[in-house]
């Protein structure tokens, strides 16, 4: 009982401390708003700026009924380090390196394309890749020492999948079966295409179109994967 009371007391003290610190920061921001930070060329509105981000984009149907994957469950999760260089007041160029995990969940009626065993309950294709993006950024408004502002990017990407594979799962009353087939021949290692991004400060809409034909043909049967994905990006930087 004593240790539980101490634990709750520590939590309350930490919460109160964070409120005090935030309140002090608010006063500092209000009283001190320099036009630029001294002795630095780094910042959202300066010559150089870099930060991390995370994003998720889901696959968007463009093939109609031909899609072989479960679109709501198929998509890409990525984390990246992004750098941009200011050319003019409203125009930047930039690059980013990213890690991405991609998943394509296979519809039940397409299981026979990848396995003769019809006992499996779930199947999915997966890719773990590293990539590079080059982009051009236009600033619309709101670019300050603390904010990226309203902006949009247009660019191109290339990605190499180091560990692609097929995952198969089955479960009954007696056992669970998990099979991971690594680097099958029908999965491509290389991907490239175009990207579009539009956002404000910490949040952005992200869209990408792959110029690689991502469909798979096995035994004269086609498995269609959408080359188009869209989602949200969260920029991680200190204001």
């Amino acid at each position: 009982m004593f240790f539980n009371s101490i634990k709750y007391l520590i939590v309350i003290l930490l919460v109160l401390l964070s409120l005090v610190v935030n309140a002090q920061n608010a006063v500092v921001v209000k009283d001190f708003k320099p036009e630029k930070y001294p002795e630095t060329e780094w910042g959202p509105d300066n010559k150089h700026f870099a930060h991390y981000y995370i994003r998720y984009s889901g696959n968007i149907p463009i093939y109609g009924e031909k899609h072989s994957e479960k679109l709501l469950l198929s998509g890409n999760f990525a984390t990246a380090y992004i750098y941009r260089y200011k050319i003019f007041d409203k125009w930047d160029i930039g690059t980013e390196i990213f890690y991405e995990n991609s998943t394509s969940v296979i519809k039940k009626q397409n299981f026979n394309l990848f396995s003769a065993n019809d006992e499996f309950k779930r199947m999915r294709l997966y890719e773990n890749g590293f990539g590079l993006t080059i982009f051009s950024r236009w600033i619309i408004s709101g670019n300050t020492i603390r904010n990226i502002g309203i902006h949009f990017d247009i660019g191109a990407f290339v990605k190499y999948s180091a560990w692609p594979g097929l995952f198969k799962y089955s479960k009954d009353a007696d056992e669970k079966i998990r099979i991971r087939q690594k680097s099958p021949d029908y999965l491509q290692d290389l991907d490239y295409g175009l990207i579009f991004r539009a956002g404000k400060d910490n949040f952005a809409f992200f869209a990408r179109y792959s110029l690689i034909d991502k469909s798979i043909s096995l035994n004269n049967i086609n498995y269609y994967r959408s080359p188009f994905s869209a989602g949200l990006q969260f920029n991680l930087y200190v204001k």
Side-chain angles (χ1 to χ4, degrees):
M1 186 70 178
F2 173 76
F3 290 105
N4 285 335
S5 300
I6 293 296
K7 179 175 67 176
Y8 294 138
L9 180 61
I10 292 174
V11 171
I12 293 172
L13 289 175
L14 289 174
V15 171
L16 291 175
L17 180 61
S18 65
L19 292 175
V20 171
V21 171
N22 287 333
Q24 290 176 346
N25 287 339
V27 172
V28 172
V29 171
K30 183 177 180 180
D31 294 340
F32 177 64
K33 291 184 177 180
E35 294 183 358
K36 62 180 296 186
Y37 290 121
E39 298 180 357
T40 181
E41 291 188 344
W42 288 81
D45 68 336
N46 286 332
K47 202 72 173 177
H48 308 277
F49 184 53
H51 63 86
Y52 294 95
Y53 75 70
I54 56 174
R55 64 167 163 82
Y56 180 81
S57 55
N59 293 347
I60 306 299
I62 63 172
Y63 292 130
E65 295 181 355
K66 291 198 303 181
H67 274 290
S68 306
E69 60 185 351
K70 293 183 178 181
L71 293 171
L72 293 179
L73 299 176
S74 302
N76 315 290
F77 172 80
T79 180
Y81 181 76
I82 183 170
Y83 166 82
R84 71 107 188 99
Y85 179 81
K86 185 172 291 296
I87 303 296
F88 300 112
D89 185 48
K90 298 293 185 180
W91 181 46
D92 306 338
I93 59 172
T95 186
E96 64 186 57
I97 53 175
F98 63 87
Y99 161 78
E100 184 174 79
N101 174 264
S102 302
T103 299
S104 178
V105 179
I106 303 169
K107 291 180 180 178
K108 182 73 173 179
Q109 59 265 33
N110 295 303
F111 281 9
N112 61 339
L113 181 61
F114 299 96
S115 175
N117 187 345
D118 59 359
E119 298 297 323
F120 290 106
K121 303 298 182 183
R122 294 196 298 269
M123 289 189 190
R124 60 179 171 86
L125 300 169
Y126 64 88
E127 299 174 6
N128 295 285
F130 298 90
L132 174 71
T133 302
I134 299 174
F135 64 89
S136 180
R137 170 171 296 178
W138 286 267
I139 306 295
I140 306 302
S141 65
N143 186 213
T144 68
I145 59 174
R146 292 181 177 83
N147 297 305
I148 298 175
I150 300 174
H151 62 281
F152 70 91
D153 303 343
I154 296 177
F157 78 93
V158 61
K159 183 183 76 170
Y160 176 77
S161 295
W163 308 288
L166 171 67
F167 178 80
K168 296 181 283 189
Y169 174 81
S170 179
K171 178 182 178 181
D172 56 30
D174 298 322
E175 62 180 358
K176 295 180 182 179
I177 301 174
R178 294 182 176 91
I179 298 176
R180 192 180 301 272
Q181 181 181 351
K182 297 182 179 180
S183 302
D185 295 337
Y186 50 77
L187 287 180
Q188 298 169 322
D189 295 332
L190 187 66
D191 190 12
Y192 59 85
L194 305 174
I195 70 107
F196 173 80
R197 182 165 42 217
K200 179 182 179 182
D201 301 335
N202 292 100
F203 298 95
F205 167 79
F206 176 87
R208 182 174 75 182
Y209 187 85
S210 175
L211 298 177
I212 292 287
D213 183 6
K214 306 188 77 171
S215 62
I216 298 171
S217 181
L218 293 173
N219 302 320
N220 296 320
I221 303 174
N222 289 323
Y223 179 80
Y224 293 99
R225 294 190 294 168
S226 176
F228 179 60
S229 62
L232 294 177
Q233 174 179 311
F234 182 58
N235 298 316
L236 305 171
Y237 69 98
V238 178
K239 292 187 177 182

